[in-house]
Structures are given as structure tokens and as C-alpha cells.
Amino acid sequence: MPYRLLFVCLGNICRSPSAENIMNHIIEQAGLAEKIICDSAGTANYHIGAVPDSRMTAAAARQGITLRGQARQFTKKDFEDFDLILAMDRQNYRDILSLDPKGLYGYKVKLMCDFARHHSLEEVPDPYYGGREGFDRVITLLLDACEGLLETLNLSDDDRSKT
Ligand code: 4NP
């Protein structure tokens, strides 16, 4: 069974689709496409069905990444369907955990920035109301965090039981 990762932000049109597509890019380069499945979702319902924000798509393209996908909302079922759920900021983290009042799945939910090696930011900043540099910063930060995440998963050989 592949390992399943879910990236979560507020709207699922900027940060989390970027994380999903960057992670897919890195996974393909590492030859691990068969071992890891990525998806993304938003805690809010505002943008369900929307493609990624054009400003985010442009920033990703400047780094050679194509953004694919359509926004969907995070649901309780995701707690069972995914092995690891990566929140882009603390509000996303709290909103995810609020759907798990019994605390059954908290162990699966982590902050994305905890995996960054070269950045000390603790959250992926919401770029929605800012300028182009904010979108570029999201991509740079997520490239770092996705690399760190992949190393942490330790799926580079055939023995998944090690993870
Ligand atoms: P995201 O960015 O959570 O990274 O997808 C946002 C998208 C939409 C809104 C805010 C942030 N909004 O307020 O509509």
C-alpha cells in the first residue's frame, strides 16, 4: 500500500495545492511515485471545485512546477484515508483537530514547516491578500519542507516497515 499524504490549508487554491504538486514533483524525481500518494484539501468551503489561484500557478511555474487539481473541503473521512496530514498554518491545524473531538487522529496531523530544513518560519504564510513575492516565498518554503518531509518518510528502499 502506498503511503498517503494530505496537505491542508484554508482555501485549497494556494498553499496546499502547491505543496501537493511540489511533493509529487520531488517524489517523481526520486523514483518513488509508486510508494507515495498526495492529495490536498481546504478547511473552508469557499472555493470547492476551483482550480489553483492563477498567481500561485504563476509562482509555481517560475520554479518549474505545474499546479494541477481542483479544490475540495477537508472531511472527517480524511482522518482514516490518509497516513499523514500536513497543516500549512496553526489555524488550519486547529481547524483540522476540531473535527476530531475524541482525539483519535491527532498523531497523524503535523505542521508543514516542522519539516523545513533551511527556513525557520513556523507557518506557511497565507499569500492570498499579498503580492507576487508572497507567492514566490510560499513555493521556496514548500520546496524546502517537501524535501525534508520526503527524507523523514524514509521510503527510499523497499522496507516500509522501517518508517
Ligand atoms: P490558501 O489561500 O488557504 O493557501 O488556499 C487562501 C485562499 C482563499 C482565501 C484565503 C486564503 N480566501 O479568503 O478566500
Side-chain angles (χ1 to χ4, degrees):
M1 277 277 284
Y3 195 80
R4 298 179 64 103
L5 296 173
L6 181 67
F7 301 94
V8 179
C9 62
L10 176 65
N12 193 210
I13 55 169
C14 295
R15 294 165 293 174
S16 62
S18 298
E20 174 191 350
N21 284 280
I22 288 170
M23 196 67 187
N24 274 333
H25 183 81
I26 290 173
I27 288 167
E28 274 166 35
Q29 284 184 330
L32 294 170
E34 313 269 289
K35 296 193 177 182
I36 307 173
I37 290 175
C38 300
D39 192 8
S40 65
T43 57
N45 61 4
Y46 326 133
H47 297 285
I48 291 172
V51 297
D53 186 289
S54 58
R55 299 164 297 171
M56 197 75 255
T57 300
R62 288 193 280 279
Q63 301 280 346
I65 312 277
T66 303
L67 295 193
R68 300 183 176 87
Q70 276 194 307
R72 72 170 180 90
Q73 190 171 19
F74 181 86
T75 70
K76 286 183 178 186
K77 188 168 178 292
D78 290 318
F79 285 123
E80 288 171 16
D81 289 349
F82 290 89
D83 298 299
L84 188 57
I85 298 167
L86 289 313
M88 297 298 125
D89 64 32
R90 288 199 192 85
Q91 186 62 50
N92 306 146
Y93 181 85
R94 284 192 291 269
D95 289 341
I96 294 165
L97 290 187
S98 73
L99 295 173
D100 174 32
K102 290 188 182 160
L104 298 176
Y105 303 104
Y107 71 97
K108 292 188 176 186
V109 187
K110 310 256 188 241
L111 274 171
M112 189 65 188
C113 280
D114 289 352
F115 297 94
R117 302 284 164 85
H118 305 290
H119 293 78
S120 54
L121 278 176
E122 293 179 4
E123 303 182 289
V124 183
D126 183 346
Y128 194 70
Y129 292 106
R132 173 175 163 150
E133 65 290 344
F135 288 88
D136 286 332
R137 196 179 314 124
V138 166
I139 298 296
T140 310
L141 176 56
L142 288 174
L143 280 164
D144 180 15
C146 283
E147 295 275 4
L149 175 58
L150 184 59
E151 282 182 32
T152 306
L153 294 179
N154 190 25
L155 297 178
S156 306
D157 60 35
D158 285 330
D159 186 2
R160 254 204 63 200
S161 60
K162 279 187 193 164
T163 59

